[in-house]
Amino acid sequence: MGAYMIRRFLLMILTLFGMSVLIFVMLRVVPGNIVDILFDSAGMVNPEDKKRLEAELGLDKPIVQQYMTWITSMLKGDLGYSYVSEKPALDEILPRIPVTAKLAALALFFSVLFGVPLGVISAVRQNTSLDYFLRVVSLSGLSLPSFWLGLLILMAFVQYTGWIPIYSDAQRGFWQELWLLSIPAAAVGFRASALIMRLTRSSMLEVLRQDYIRTARAKGATRQAVNYDHALRNAVLPVVTIIGIEAAFLIGGLVVTETVFNIPGVARFLVEAIRWRDYPIVQNLVMLIAVITVVVNFIVDMAYVVLDPRIKYEG
Amino acid sequence: MKVVWYATAALGLAVGIGDVGTAFAQKPGGTLRIYHRDTPASASIHEEATVSTQLPFMAVFNNLVVYDQQAKQNNMSTIVPDLATSWAWDDSKTKLTFKLNQGVKWHDGKPFTSEDVKCTFEMLQGKGKQRLRKNPRAIWFRNLKEVTTNGPLEATFVLEKPQAAFLALLASGYTPIYACHVNPADMRTKPVGTGPFKFVEFKGNEVIRLAKNPDYFKKGKPYVDAIEMRIIDNRSTRILAFQAGEFDMTFSQDITIPLLKDMVKQAPKAICETKPQYVSRNLIVNREAAPFDNAEVRKAMALAIDRKAFIDILTEGKGDIGGAMLPLPEGAFGMPPEELQKMTGYGGDVAANRAQGRKIMEGLGYSASKPLKVKISTRNIAIYRDPAVILIDQLKQIHMEGELEVVDTPLWHAKVARKDYQVGMNLTGVAVDDPDANLVENYSCKSERNYTNYCNPEVEKLIDQQSTITDPAERKKVVWKIEQVLNDDLARPIIYHDRAATCWWPHVKGFVGHENSIYNNWRLEDVWLDK
C-alpha cells in the first residue's frame, strides 16, 4: 500500500507537470494576447505601442523562457501579477476560492443528500409510480440547462417576494450566508443529484439481482438490512467515483451558476481571465483546479479500499 | 468666439443661480446604487475608450470645463466652468487662458495647481515624464503646441492654429485633469482626483465603490454619501435586480428597445429615457484591393443598402438614419432630411436605387447567375453579426454574394489594420458630438482610430476649415460637405444610429441624461435621493 501511494504520488507530479505544459501552450495557441485585447478595447492599433507593452509584460520573450519563469516563480510561491488589475495574482485568486468552495460543498451536499437515497428508493421500488415519478424528476434535472433554471429561480423570487437572491460582498451572518448560497447550490445540486440518483438506481438494480442478495434474503435478513447493508455498500462504488468527478468539476465548472447568481467565484473569474488572456491568472487557476482534480481522484481511489475490503493496492 | 464665450459664461452664471434657488429641495445622504455591466479594463479614463470606465470614474475627477450636467444637449453653449473659473481666447485665437479655482485639493490632500493641467496634457501628447500605457485620444490634441502656466492658478493652451472647438474636447468626460504626483499605473488601479467622490475600492467582477469627498471645492456638493456600482455581467440578472429594487439606476443605455417593453411591464414606476447611444453601425470597405478599389462597385454597394430595413429589424423602428455625425433632432450637427436625401443611397426609392446598383454591376459583368463573391467580416458578437447577416441578404439584390466571416474580438483591429478584409461590419462610438472629435478621430489621416487608413486631402482640409469657424450655422455647412464627400468615397458608410434606454426609480433626483453623448454626464454631483 505504501509503495502504491508513493508511485501514485509521483504519477500525480508527472500529471501536473504535463498539465502545466498543456495549459501554457494552449493559452498561447489561442489567437490574441492581453495586449491585443487592451488595444482593441481602446479601439486603437499602434504597432509600436503594442510592442512596447508586450516587452513590458515579457510577452516578447521565447515561449520556453516564459514557461521556465512561470514554473520557477510558482515553485517559490510567486504567482506573478494579473495583467488586467495589475495586482498580485495570489491576491486576486485567494479571496475567490472560499466563495466557490462553499458553493461547491453545499451543492455536493445537496446532491448526495437527495441523489443517493432517492436513487435507492427508485431502485427498490422499481416500476412503481414512485419510481416513474423519480425518474421524471431525475431526467428533468439532467435536461434543464443550469442558466435557465437559475433565471427561473431568480424570476420567481422577484415576482413572489420582491427580493432577488444574488450575491454581494455585504457582511452577513452564518445563517444568512448559508441561505443565500443555498439557492444557487440547489440549482447546481439539482443536476448533480439527478446524475447521482440515476447512477445509484442502476447500480443498485444490478446489485439487487446478485446471488448474495438472494442468499441474504433467504437467510431472513430484513429488507432494510438487505438494501442498505448489503446492496448499497456494493452499489456505491461507481457513485463515489461520480461524486469525486463532480467535486472537482464544481470548483471550475460553475461558470453559469456564478454568472446568473452573480457570485464572484473562481469559475467566473477564470472565464473573465481567459477573455482578457490574463495568462498569470489563467495558468495559476487552471493549475489549482488540476491539483484539486488530481487530489480528489487520489482520495476517491483510497476510499475504494475503505468501502470495499476486497480491493487492495499492491506495491 | 467671444459671443460663444459670453453666452457660456452667462449660462454658467444662470446655472449657478438656479442651483442656489433649488438648493433647499435637495436631501443629502444615502448611497446611490447603480449596476455596472462588466469589469472595466482599468480606472484610468485617459487610457480607455469605453463608457465602462467613464461611467464609474468620471465622478472621481474634474475637467477644466465640462458640459453642463443639467443641460440635455452637449454643444458649445452648454460648456460650463469646472476646475476653471473662467476662460478667454487671445486675439489670434490660438491662446486659450484658464483662471483656476483656488483651494482645490486632490483626494490625497495635495493642492491642485496649474502644473497639474500642464502635465496632464504633456502626458496626452506623449511629451511628459509619465507615460500612458494606452493613449487612444492623442489625436484630439494634435493642434496643441504647449500648455504654459502663469502662477499656480492660470494655465494657457497654445495652439498651432485657431481651433474654436478645442473647448468642446476639454469639456468631455474623457478629458479629466490628472494629478502630476500620481503615476499612471496607480491611476489605473486607485485613481486620485479632485472630483465630488473619492475612490474607495475596485474589485473586479464584484464592485466599484466611491465615497463623498467632504473637501469638494463646490460647496454643498455632492449630495449622496456614496456610490456603489456592483458589477453584474448577466443582463437578465441585473435587470431583474433593478426591478427588485436592488439598484437605484441601470447602467447607461443598458436597456435595449426589445427589453424596454418588459421593463415597462415589470417596473411601471421606473423612469426610462430612450436616447441615441451615438454608436453607429457602419461598413468599412477595403478600397485598396479588388473588387472595392473600383469606385463603381463601391457605388453599387451604397445603392443596395436599405437603412430602414436594418432599423426595423434590429431596433423595432427606433434607430435613426444619418451620416457620420449624430442625426437630428438630438445631434448638434445632424443633417436636415433635405441634405441627407442628396447623398448616394439615402434618397429616393430603395427598389430604384437597387435597380441602378444592379445595372452598374451588370455593366461590370456580374449577374444573378454570376455574382460577385464578397467576404463580409465582423466580430463574433451578436451586435456585429446581426447587421452583417442583413447586409449579406441586401447585397444579393445587386448580384453580390456575401459570405460571413466572424473574427474573434482580439484579432479584429489587427486584421483591419493589415487590410485583411473586403467589407467589415463595424460599430463606432463617439464621445463628443463635435466634428473635432468624431471626424478627426475616425476620418483624419493620422488618427490611430481611423482603422481603414482613409485619407483624403480634401476631407483633411475641410476638417481643418470647420474647426476654425465660430458661427455654428456656417460650421454645419462645412460639416455637411464633409459628410457628402465621405459618403461619395464610401469611407465608412453609416447604416444607422442606435438607441437604447437608461432607467432609474423616481426617488433618484437631479440626474439628466445627455441626449447626444453617453460619456459626459456622469459627474453625479447633482444627484440626490428622495427617500
Side-chain angles (χ1 to χ4, degrees), chain B residues 9 32 67-68 158-159 181 186 228 230 283 285 337 347 355 367 397 425 427 444 453 473 495 502 506 509 524:
Chain B
L32 176 66
Y67 283 110
D68 184 352
V158 183
L159 308 182
H181 62 277
D186 284 338
E228 183 186 89
R230 279 161 65 192
L283 299 180
V285 182
S367 63
Q397 305 291 328
M425 178 58 74
L427 263 71
S444 74
N453 295 340
I495 307 283
T502 308
K509 308 284 185 190
L524 302 175

Side-chain angles (χ1 to χ4, degrees), chain B residues 114-161:
Chain B
S114 56
E115 281 303 319
D116 293 306
V117 178
K118 183 177 163 71
C119 81
T120 297
F121 288 90
E122 283 179 350
M123 188 168 63
L124 289 169
Q125 289 179 295
K127 292 181 189 168
K129 290 175 205 157
Q130 311 263 37
R131 205 180 164 91
L132 295 168
R133 194 155 80 165
K134 293 176 286 173
N135 191 0
R137 286 171 298 281
I139 191 74
W140 279 15
F141 306 104
R142 73 200 196 289
N143 187 31
L144 177 62
K145 196 171 169 186
E146 60 175 339
V147 177
T148 60
T149 59
N150 179 21
L153 298 176
E154 189 179 301
T156 300
F157 286 70
V158 183
L159 308 182
E160 299 280 358
K161 53 192 172 189

Side-chain angles (χ1 to χ4, degrees), chain B residues 138-267:
Chain B
I139 191 74
W140 279 15
F141 306 104
R142 73 200 196 289
N143 187 31
L144 177 62
K145 196 171 169 186
E146 60 175 339
V147 177
T148 60
T149 59
N150 179 21
L153 298 176
E154 189 179 301
T156 300
F157 286 70
V158 183
L159 308 182
E160 299 280 358
K161 53 192 172 189
Q163 186 182 0
F166 190 75
L167 208 58
L169 304 176
L170 299 184
S172 166
Y174 267 138
T175 318
I177 302 300
Y178 271 19
C180 267
H181 62 277
V182 181
N183 71 53
D186 284 338
M187 282 296 196
R188 290 195 288 270
T189 52
K190 38 184 187 297
V192 175
T194 55
F197 294 92
K198 288 183 177 189
F199 172 81
V200 176
E201 67 174 334
F202 171 15
K203 283 156 68 176
N205 265 344
E206 279 190 67
V207 71
I208 296 165
R209 285 198 175 91
L210 309 178
K212 178 179 183 165
N213 173 10
D215 301 321
Y216 192 43
F217 68 96
K218 296 181 189 174
K219 295 299 167 206
K221 289 183 181 179
Y223 301 111
V224 296
D225 291 335
I227 299 174
E228 183 186 89
M229 297 185 201
R230 279 161 65 192
I231 299 163
I232 304 184
D233 304 337
N234 188 282
R235 198 197 291 254
S236 307
T237 305
R238 60 190 187 236
I239 290 176
L240 278 170
F242 173 78
Q243 291 168 355
E246 281 275 311
F247 298 99
D248 302 307
M249 198 170 186
T250 67
F251 190 79
S252 176
Q253 308 236 324
D254 195 46
I255 313 300
T256 59
I257 300 297
L259 287 173
L260 187 60
K261 282 180 191 166
D262 181 63
M263 182 64 96
V264 170
K265 198 172 151 197
Q266 301 297 331

Side-chain angles (χ1 to χ4, degrees), chain A residues 40 44 46 86 96 169 260, chain B residues 188 204 209 237 413 448:
Chain A
D40 186 89
M44 56 186 287
N46 184 327
E86 301 179 62
R96 289 172 163 91
D169 65 347
V260 170
Chain B
R188 290 195 288 270
R209 285 198 175 91
T237 305
H413 281 124
E448 282 175 2

Side-chain angles (χ1 to χ4, degrees), chain B residues 388-401:
Chain B
V389 170
I390 297 171
L391 178 72
I392 287 172
D393 181 59
Q394 294 194 359
L395 290 181
K396 280 182 195 160
Q397 305 291 328
I398 54 154
H399 310 318
M400 279 193 197
E401 190 180 296

